[in-house]
Amino acid sequence: MEFEDCYLQVQRPKFDCLLFDLDDTLYPLSSGLATECRKNIEDYMVEKLGIDRSKIAQLGNLLYKNYGTTMAGLRAIGYDFDYDEYHSFVHGRLPYENLKPDPVLRHLLLSLPYRKIIFTNADKVHAAEALSRLGLEGCFEGIICFETLNPIHKNTVSDDEDDIEFVRLDNTADVNNTTTSTSSVIFDIIKHFDQPNPNSGLPKTPIVCKPSESAIERALKIANLIPQRTMFFDDSVRNIQAGKRVGLHTVLVGTSQRVKGADYALESIHNIREALPELWEVDRKSAEVDYPGKVAVETSVTA
């Protein structure tokens, strides 16, 4: 009996789940969506928030650098807006036709005998559209997205459990409360960093997103994952390094140059089998795992 227990322990696969970023990870940066997305964000800042276009480049860089996403930064410094409207404006005009079905990637994903989950800062509509265009329906168990990490509707915490099908954390209401009225005074982050010795007193954002370690930890709890048994694929160095600090095994996608915090580096997600052959070296009854039906956006995740 002891021998059998030892044998089973040795045979247990190293990973339980593969966690994948979406944009510029499952499809290349050359698709042009990132460039168009950035342009749409800038247009939103000018057209909807009334920000002077001459300040957009510097402001956008500071918000992205300090808050992870421009959206999170805008909310932090005092701009109030409807999240659904923002996402519709930013993603609604993207050239999705640039994304083509990727049968090679689909085969690779389906041949991986692990749980596979999308983890993106984007909203669920964008995630579903991108995965559909790539022909990756049924490849993932579920999607952890903006709505999953920020269970809100029209800037208020949702009381409708049907809105969020992932398990909600006990403390989401406090962290995600966005009902506070916008201050009449916008925090001048440009002026703040123009000071000779800017202090660290930046306002906090109510939005939860990568590369915040708390966002990654929340995603792990939602999906019931153990960080040491989870492999995380992302094109962002900051996200990868945050994942490593949380305890994930990390794969930087989009470059062959491995950086601090990345256990592996892939020029393309298509190189996954050559770079990580051990992922297939698992004795399972079925080497191909399929999830029937279309991509399940924010579907329930169980162990």
Side-chain angles (χ1 to χ4, degrees), residues 119-165:
F119 178 26
T120 175
N121 282 336
D123 64 298
K124 61 183 179 182
V125 173
H126 168 72
E129 180 67 23
L131 290 172
S132 176
R133 294 277 183 163
L134 292 168
L136 301 181
E137 300 98 327
C139 292
F140 299 96
E141 178 181 330
I143 300 173
I144 297 174
C145 57
F146 177 84
E147 290 90 345
T148 318
L149 296 177
N150 302 273
I152 47 87
H153 183 67
K154 304 299 181 184
N155 293 336
T156 59
V157 177
S158 173
D159 294 323
D160 187 354
E161 288 295 335
D162 291 336
D163 288 348
I164 301 298
E165 294 184 63

Side-chain angles (χ1 to χ4, degrees), residues 166-179:
F166 270 121
V167 177
R168 180 183 291 185
L169 302 185
D170 294 336
N171 63 346
T172 51
D174 293 334
V175 178
N176 294 302
N177 189 352
T178 60
T179 58

